[in-house]
Amino acid sequence: MSLVAAPPSSLILDLPPALATPPGAGAVADAEGARAIGRGAAEGLFCGPAPVLVAHAGLTARRLGLEAPARAPHLLDVLELFVFVRPARFCAPTPTGLAIALGLDEPVGAVAQAEALRAVAGRLLAELSAADYPDLEAALTLNGTLARAGWSWGERVDQALRAGLLAAGRNPRDRREPGTGLDVWNRLSEWEEVAPRGEAGSHPVDSESARIRLDHMLKGLGLDEARPTQSDYAAEAAFAFSPRDHKDQPRALLAEAGTGTGKTLGYLAPAGLWAERNHGTVWVSTYTRALQRQIAREGLALPDHEGQTRRRVVVRKGRENYLCLLNLQEMVQQAQLGAGDVVGLGLTARWAGACADGDMTGGDFPAWLPGLYAAPAAHQPTPANLVDRRGECIHAACPHYRRCFVEKTVRAARHADVVIANHALVMVQAAFDGARAARQPAGDSETAALKRIVFDEGHHLFEAADSAFSSSLSGQEAAELRRWIRGPETRARRGRGLEQRLGDLIGDDSPARKAMGDVLAAATRLPGEGAQGRILRGSESGAPTGPVEVFLAAALDQLRARADPRGGSEDQGMECAARPAIPDLITAAAKAAEALAAVEAPLLALSRHLEDVLTEEAETLDGGARARIEGALRGLDRRARMTLPSWRAMLNDLASGDAAGDPEFVDWLSAESAFGRLSDVSLRRHWVDPTQPLEATVIRPSHGVLVTSATLTDPDFGADPFHLARLRSATGRLETPVRTLKVESPFDYASQSKVIVVTDVPRDDPRRTAAAMRALFLASGGGALGLFTAIRRLKAVYGLLGPELGRAGLPLYAQHIDPLDVGALVDVFRTERDSCLLGTDAIRDGVDVPGRSLRLLVFDRVPWPRPDLLHRARRERFASLDGSGGGRTYDDALARGRMAQAFGRLIRRADDKGVFVMLDAACPTRLFGGLPPGVEVERMELAEAVATLSRFLGPEDHRTSV
C-alpha cells in the first residue's frame, strides 16, 4: 500500500512523545528517537501533565495497573484522531492495528510500537492537510466544536485542516460552515418509497445452472473455477430453491461442508439465481456477526443487473443495533448544556456521516470508541444510549424519519436479492408476523418474503431457538415495561412514555382514552426506580412495593433456601427449580398475575383501536400516518400479545400449586450477579425442545430451507450421522424426509494439524494450568488461543500468565478482563500475529483468523454442557431418541460438536498449520470423533507436548521480540 505524503514539518516537530505499553514492557518515542522505559516512567508519562500520545487510553491504563481515566487534555489518543480522519474505516485498537491500517509494517515489541504510534499520528495529520481531503470546511467546523469542548487534538487538527485549505487555494479564514457540525442528521440522504415487490415466483433452479453461476461469481472475484466439492455443494444446494409440492412441506436440505469448501459462495450462487428468476428475496441467517460480515463481502460477487441500482445484498438487524438519530440529537442537546460528552458525540457524528448503514453493533462503528475513557454511562455515546433499545421509536412522528437508518435498511431489504440476518431476528420476526397475519392478513411485514431461508452456522439453530422462544420475568424486565408505558419518572432517565408516543394517534376517542388512563394507572404496580435494591436487600432499601416486586422477593427467599450458590457464594448467582414452590411464592404469583392482567387488557384495547383506524380510515391515511400507526402496533403487540401473556402463563401455572407443571417446559428461578454482587432475580421458562415453535413459526411456513455448517453430523448419536441435526433443526419433524449432504474439507489435516492431550496437568490447579499454557504459548511464539469453560478460571490463569508472556514480548488479551468487546478482541488478535488471547465460548464461536495469527488452540478442560435444570430435562428427552436410552451420548454429542467447532478455527487456508491441545487428561478419545478424517490424537506429558509443538510449527512460525 502506498503511504500518504509526509506531513508539514511543523506538525511532526510539534508531536509529543508516544507511549506504548504492551504487557511486561514499555517504550517511548519522541523527536530524539525511541527507547525502552520502566513501568514507573510509563506511569509518570501517562498520568501527566505533559502531553503524550497513546493508543486506547483505557487499555493502556489497564496495562499499567491504573484506573481507566476520564478524558484528559494531556492524553492524545491516536485512535480518536483515526476516527476523525478516517471515519467508518476499520482499525484494530492498538499501536499495531493503527500501523497496519495505515500501511506500515507490523511493529514488533514496545520500542517499534512507540515509533509506529508517532508515525501514525503524523501521517493522519498529513491526510488532513492534503488539498484533496474531502469536506475540509465541514471537518473544520466540527473540530472547532470539539476543541472548545477540550478535545486534546483540537489545535493540531485545526492547523492541519487550515494547511489543507491553503493547499487547495482557499483562504482558511472564515471557511468554517455555520453551526457546530454535530447535526449530522441534517446532512444524511433521505429514503424514497417504492412500489411493493409482490409475491415471488416459483421458477426452479437446476443443478447445472447453479454450477455455472458459481463459476461466473468466482471469475468475478478473480478466482479460478470452482473446486469439485464446491461445485457439487452448489448443485445440491439448488434443491432448497425448487418449488414445494405441498403446503407446510418445504424443500429442506441439511448440508455439512467442511472448512475450506467455500460453502458461502456455494449457496449464494443458487440463491442469487433464484432471486433473479423469481423477483424474490432469499434470507441468509447466521449466528455470529463475523459470519454476517463475511457473507456480505462475498455477496458482492453476485452479478449486477444492467440498468438497475437496487442493492443485491442487505444486512438486516433488529432496531436495537442501529443509531437512532433522535437519541443522538437529544444527547447532543444535553451535552451542549453541559451534561454530556461533546467530544465522544462529535466523533460519533463524524462516523454517522460516513457509515454504510448506521449499524453500531458489528458494522463499521468502532466498538472500542466509547471505551477509550471512563465516563458516566448515562452521558456516554455508547450503542446502549444511542440505539432504539427500549421500543420508544415514534416512527413517522420523528423529525428524522425520512433519514432513519432503520427505515432505510428495512426498505432496502424488501427489494434485495439476499438479506443477511441473524437467527434471533428471523425467529422472532417470523413468530410475531405470523401472529399478526392471523388477525390482519393484508398487513405489511418485514419478513413477508421469508420463504427461502439459508441457516448458516446451522449447528447453533437449537440454541438460537431456545433463546428466541423463551420467557423471563425479572425485576429489570418488568421495570423496563413500566418505563416504556409511563416514561421516565426521574430526571436522570431519558425517554418517551406511551402517552407522549400515542396520545395524538388515539385523539378524542373515549374508549381509547380510557384504555390509556387504565394502562398508565396499572403500570404503577410494576417495579419502579430502586426496585432491585428493594427486592435484593430488603429492609435496608425499603420493603418491596407492588405485587411483582413482592413475587420476586419471595423467589429470592426460595433460592436462598434451596439453591447451591455458584462458586460457593450467593453473590456469584443461584438457581433452583420453581416447583414445588414455597407458600409465599404461590400466593405472590397469583397477585402478580392479576397485576399483569390489568396492564395487558388496556394495551390490547389500544391495539384494537389502532387496528380499527388502519381499517376504517385506509383511504384517507397518508403514508406517514400509516407507518406511524403500524410501528406503534408492533410495540403494543409485542408486549400485549407476546410478553405479558407469557409472563402471566408462568405465574398462573405456579399459582396453581401443581407440583409437576407442563412437561413441555422447564421453569426455574435464578438470581444473577454482576461485579461480585446479586443484580436481579427472575422466573424463567424455556421449551424442553425449542424446535417445536421453530418448526411451527419458521420451518413449516417456508418454501425452502437450507441448514448448513461445517459441523452438523455426529458419528455416534442415533442411527445415522445426521440424526441429531434433524432433531436439533426441526427438519426431522417434517412429513417429507429431509435431504442430507456431506462434503469433506479439501485440507490435508493429517499434515496440517496435530491434536494433543496433555496427561500431567491437574484439572483444578490454576497455577499448573497457567504454567502449561505459558510453556505452550512460548513454544508457538504466540498466535495462541486459550479457551476456558469458566470465567473464574480464565481470570485466575490470566493473572499468572500475563507477566511472563509480556517479558517474552507476546501480548496477551483476555475476554472479561480487557476493556474491549469480543469483536474488537478478535480484531486485535487477528492483526497482531504473535499475540495471545484467552476467552470462553463466545470467542470459540466468533473467531475467523486465517494465517499464522492462530496456530495454537488450547482447551483448559472438556467443554461439557453445564448440568443445570434445563440441560438435565433435555438430556432425558433427547437421550430417549438416540437409541441408547442413556444420557451420556447426548452430553458426548454436545461436547464433541464444541470441540469440532474449535478445531475448525485452526485451519482456514491450505497453507495453515495448527495444533489443538487439550489440557484435560480425562478427555475420552470418543470426543474427538467429530474431527476430520486423518486427524490422530496423541497423548503425552507436557514436556513432550511442548517439544512436539515446537518441531511441528517450525522455527519460522514462532518469533518473539521485546
Side-chain angles (χ1 to χ4, degrees):
M1 180 186 295
S2 61
L3 300 179
V4 298
S9 58
S10 60
L11 296 179
I12 295 178
L13 294 174
D14 189 43
L15 283 175
L19 174 65
T21 57
V28 64
D30 52 26
E32 298 177 0
R35 57 199 177 277
I37 58 175
R39 177 169 174 170
E43 286 185 21
L45 279 172
F46 185 78
C47 294
V52 61
L53 301 176
V54 296
H56 204 296
L59 187 58
T60 304
R62 169 127 196 126
R63 294 296 186 212
L64 295 173
L66 304 171
E67 292 292 327
R71 185 172 279 108
H74 77 284
L75 290 177
L76 284 82
D77 202 313
V78 182
L79 287 169
E80 287 188 345
L81 181 63
F82 182 89
V83 173
F84 187 92
V85 178
R86 296 187 175 188
R89 301 273 291 276
F90 172 77
C91 171
T94 63
T96 299
L98 282 162
I100 291 175
L102 267 74
L104 300 171
D105 291 335
E106 178 183 351
V108 179
V111 171
Q113 289 179 15
E115 289 180 314
L117 194 56
R118 199 159 188 268
V120 165
R123 293 180 187 280
L124 289 172
L125 291 172
E127 288 189 29
L128 290 179
S129 66
D132 58 351
Y133 187 81
D135 297 325
L136 282 165
E137 288 87 352
L140 189 65
T141 298
L142 178 59
N143 179 66
T145 300
L146 302 186
R148 289 190 295 275
W151 190 35
S152 54
W153 282 106
E155 183 178 349
R156 292 173 175 83
V157 167
D158 184 80
Q159 293 176 18
L161 289 170
R162 290 180 183 278
L165 286 168
L166 284 172
R170 290 175 279 179
N171 188 344
R173 182 177 299 175
D174 298 327
R175 294 300 302 188
R176 227 179 247 151
E177 292 183 347
T180 63
L182 295 170
D183 55 344
V184 63
W185 48 84
N186 290 328
R187 299 190 296 276
L188 297 174
S189 62
E190 296 186 352
W191 51 262
E192 294 183 0
E193 199 69 80
V194 295
R197 195 172 187 181
E199 287 291 327
S202 298
H203 299 290
V205 175
D206 60 276
S207 298
E208 188 58 31
S209 296
R211 293 182 193 270
I212 294 171
R213 171 54 60 89
L214 175 62
D215 285 338
H216 182 59
M217 292 172 65
L218 289 168
K219 290 174 183 175
L221 292 171
L223 302 174
D224 296 331
E225 63 182 16
R227 297 181 293 273
T229 53
Q230 186 182 28
S231 183
D232 291 343
Y233 178 92
E236 291 295 323
F239 171 74
F241 300 96
S242 56
R244 68 180 184 179
D245 295 333
H246 303 285
K247 182 182 179 181
D248 293 337
Q249 292 301 313
R251 301 289 190 179
L253 173 67
L254 294 175
E256 179 175 284
T259 305
T261 301
K263 63 180 170 59
T264 303
L265 288 178
Y267 61 67
L268 284 178
L273 197 56
W274 180 89
E276 287 178 27
R277 291 179 176 178
N278 295 284
H279 303 285
T281 300
V282 176
W283 284 66
V284 177
S285 180
T286 76
Y287 191 71
T288 63
R289 294 169 182 164
L291 185 58
Q292 285 185 338
R293 291 194 295 266
Q294 176 189 329
I295 297 171
R297 288 195 303 268
E298 299 196 20
L300 296 176
L302 289 171
D304 290 330
H305 297 305
E306 275 190 46
Q308 295 192 11
T309 59
R310 65 184 177 84
R311 293 162 66 181
R312 301 298 309 277
V313 179
V314 173
V315 177
R316 179 73 181 92
K317 298 183 179 181
R319 286 182 172 270
E320 69 277 5
N321 292 278
Y322 297 95
L323 171 67
C324 171
L325 295 173
L326 186 56
N327 282 350
L328 177 63
Q329 182 183 21
E330 289 180 351
M331 287 194 70
V332 165
Q333 291 169 347
Q334 291 177 7
Q336 290 175 323
L337 295 174
D341 179 6
V342 173
V343 174
L345 288 166
L347 295 176
T348 301
R350 185 86 171 142
W351 162 80
C355 66
D357 56 9
D359 180 5
M360 299 191 76
T361 58
D364 52 19
F365 180 75
W368 38 260
L369 177 60
L372 295 183
Y373 300 95
H379 296 152
Q380 202 173 18
T382 63
N385 292 330
L386 288 174
V387 300
D388 177 37
R389 189 175 299 279
R390 307 177 186 95
E392 293 178 341
C393 181
I394 54 177
H395 302 277
C398 176
H400 311 306
Y401 180 67
R402 300 287 302 185
R403 297 181 174 89
C404 175
F405 288 115
V406 177
E407 296 299 329
K408 287 180 181 178
T409 305
V410 168
R411 281 158 178 75
R414 289 173 181 164
H415 295 268
D417 285 353
V418 175
V419 174
I420 304 169
N422 58 54
H423 296 344
L425 175 67
V426 168
M427 293 175 193
V428 172
Q429 286 295 129
F432 179 73
D433 289 337
R436 284 204 68 198
R439 303 190 314 276
Q440 289 183 302
D444 193 15
S445 160
E446 288 189 32
T447 52
L450 195 60
K451 303 301 181 186
R452 304 286 173 172
I453 315 171
V454 177
F455 286 110
D456 204 337
E457 297 180 306
H459 59 284
H460 279 303
L461 207 50
F462 187 91
E463 288 80 6
D466 181 37
S467 176
F469 299 112
S470 63
S471 298
S472 174
L473 170 57
S474 67
Q476 181 177 352
E477 290 288 333
E480 193 62 38
L481 176 61
R482 171 175 173 149
R483 194 208 51 74
W484 179 82
I485 293 172
R486 294 182 58 84
E489 296 176 279
T490 66
R491 292 185 178 181
R493 300 293 298 272
R494 296 183 306 109
R496 295 169 289 276
L498 204 58
E499 172 72 28
Q500 186 178 355
R501 296 196 304 276
L502 302 183
D504 61 323
L505 290 179
I506 63 176
D508 296 326
D509 182 90
S510 297
R513 277 287 163 192
K514 182 179 184 305
M516 177 67 76
D518 289 345
V519 74
L520 291 174
T524 60
R525 304 180 71 195
L526 297 174
E529 290 292 328
Q532 281 145 318
R534 293 189 294 273
I535 294 167
L536 298 170
R537 290 180 288 280
S539 58
E540 66 184 72
S541 301
T545 60
V548 177
E549 288 188 24
V550 171
F551 168 77
L552 293 173
L556 183 59
D557 288 340
Q558 180 165 317
L559 280 161
R560 284 172 170 156
R562 297 178 181 174
D564 291 326
R566 298 172 196 155
S569 168
E570 72 169 33
D571 285 342
Q572 300 301 313
M574 301 176 286
E575 68 178 35
C576 73
R579 296 178 182 83
I582 62 176
D584 286 351
L585 189 64
I586 293 175
T587 302
K591 293 180 179 179
E594 291 176 5
L596 294 180
V599 175
E600 180 183 329
L603 284 180
L604 285 171
L606 286 173
S607 179
R608 287 192 292 268
H609 170 74
L610 293 181
E611 289 175 349
D612 291 343
V613 171
L614 280 180
T615 303
E616 296 168 4
E617 301 179 22
E619 296 182 359
T620 58
L621 282 176
D622 60 36
R626 173 175 290 278
R628 189 178 170 200
I629 292 174
E630 288 175 347
L633 276 171
R634 298 186 75 85
L636 286 168
D637 283 359
R638 282 190 188 279
R639 290 159 179 85
R641 302 185 192 273
M642 297 179 71
T643 300
L644 282 166
S646 68
W647 287 356
R648 284 199 304 106
M650 289 192 293
L651 291 168
N652 285 327
D653 286 353
L654 201 58
S656 72
D658 181 2
D662 191 327
E664 296 300 329
F665 298 100
V666 177
D667 295 346
W668 76 96
L669 306 174
S670 70
E672 302 305 323
S673 65
F675 307 108
R677 64 186 301 176
L678 289 183
S679 59
D680 206 354
V681 180
S682 60
L683 168 64
R684 298 179 179 274
R685 166 170 283 185
H686 284 238
W687 286 81
V688 175
D689 183 359
T691 65
Q692 291 187 48
L694 172 64
E695 176 224 5
T697 61
V698 182
I699 303 296
R700 193 172 289 276
S702 67
H703 288 221
V705 178
L706 168 61
V707 180
T708 188
S709 169
T711 54
L712 276 183
T713 61
D714 186 275
D716 298 322
F717 190 96
D720 72 88
F722 281 96
H723 184 61
L724 186 61
R726 289 189 183 93
L727 295 177
R728 287 171 61 86
S729 67
T731 56
R733 296 177 173 277
L734 300 173
E735 286 80 0
T736 304
V738 60
R739 278 198 188 184
T740 61
L741 170 69
K742 184 176 174 66
V743 180
E744 299 291 353
S745 169
F747 298 144
D748 181 5
Y749 286 103
S751 63
Q752 289 182 254
S753 65
K754 278 193 173 296
V755 177
I756 299 171
V757 178
V758 176
T759 58
D760 60 342
V761 176
R763 281 169 45 97
D764 298 315
D765 187 342
R767 292 184 178 276
R768 294 287 296 276
T769 300
M773 285 195 173
R774 179 183 66 245
L776 293 165
F777 288 9
L778 290 174
S780 69
L785 176 61
L787 292 175
F788 291 79
T789 57
I791 297 173
R792 176 173 48 85
R793 290 198 301 275
L794 181 155
K795 291 182 176 180
V797 169
Y798 176 86
L800 298 167
L801 190 61
E804 295 207 35
L805 290 183
R807 284 191 285 274
L810 301 181
L812 177 66
Y813 302 94
Q815 183 190 8
H816 305 293
I817 293 177
D818 287 316
L820 298 171
D821 71 352
V822 170
L825 283 171
V826 173
D827 288 339
V828 171
F829 181 60
R830 184 188 297 111
T831 302
E832 299 186 4
R833 293 179 295 171
D834 293 332
S835 63
C836 304
L837 176 61
L838 306 182
T840 55
D841 53 357
I843 296 287
R844 180 192 70 223
D845 295 328
V847 171
D848 181 25
V849 184
R852 68 185 305 275
S853 290
L854 176 54
R855 49 194 181 271
L856 170 65
L857 190 149
V858 183
F859 260 109
D860 79 318
R861 61 175 62 180
V862 174
W864 295 113
R866 185 166 166 258
D868 54 21
L869 294 164
L870 182 58
H871 174 71
R872 291 201 294 270
R874 287 176 176 161
R875 178 170 57 191
E876 183 178 347
R877 173 75 60 88
F878 284 95
S880 66
L881 302 174
D882 75 343
S884 72
R888 195 195 77 177
T889 52
Y890 184 64
D891 287 348
D892 283 359
L894 297 186
R896 195 160 36 235
R898 293 170 182 176
M899 290 167 60
Q901 272 294 313
F903 178 85
R905 306 297 96 192
L906 267 178
I907 310 299
R908 311 296 289 175
R909 301 189 309 206
D911 57 350
D912 281 355
K913 293 179 72 174
V915 180
F916 179 108
V917 177
M918 172 64 71
L919 295 180
D920 190 344
C923 180
T925 300
R926 66 180 184 273
L927 296 187
F928 293 97
L931 302 189
V935 176
E936 295 185 2
V937 180
E938 302 176 76
R939 295 179 180 269
M940 60 188 71
E941 294 184 347
L942 178 62
E944 185 181 354
V946 170
T948 300
L949 168 66
S950 185
R951 287 194 303 269
F952 180 74
L953 292 180
E956 74 280 0
D957 276 323
H958 56 279
R959 61 180 175 84
T960 62
S961 175
V962 180

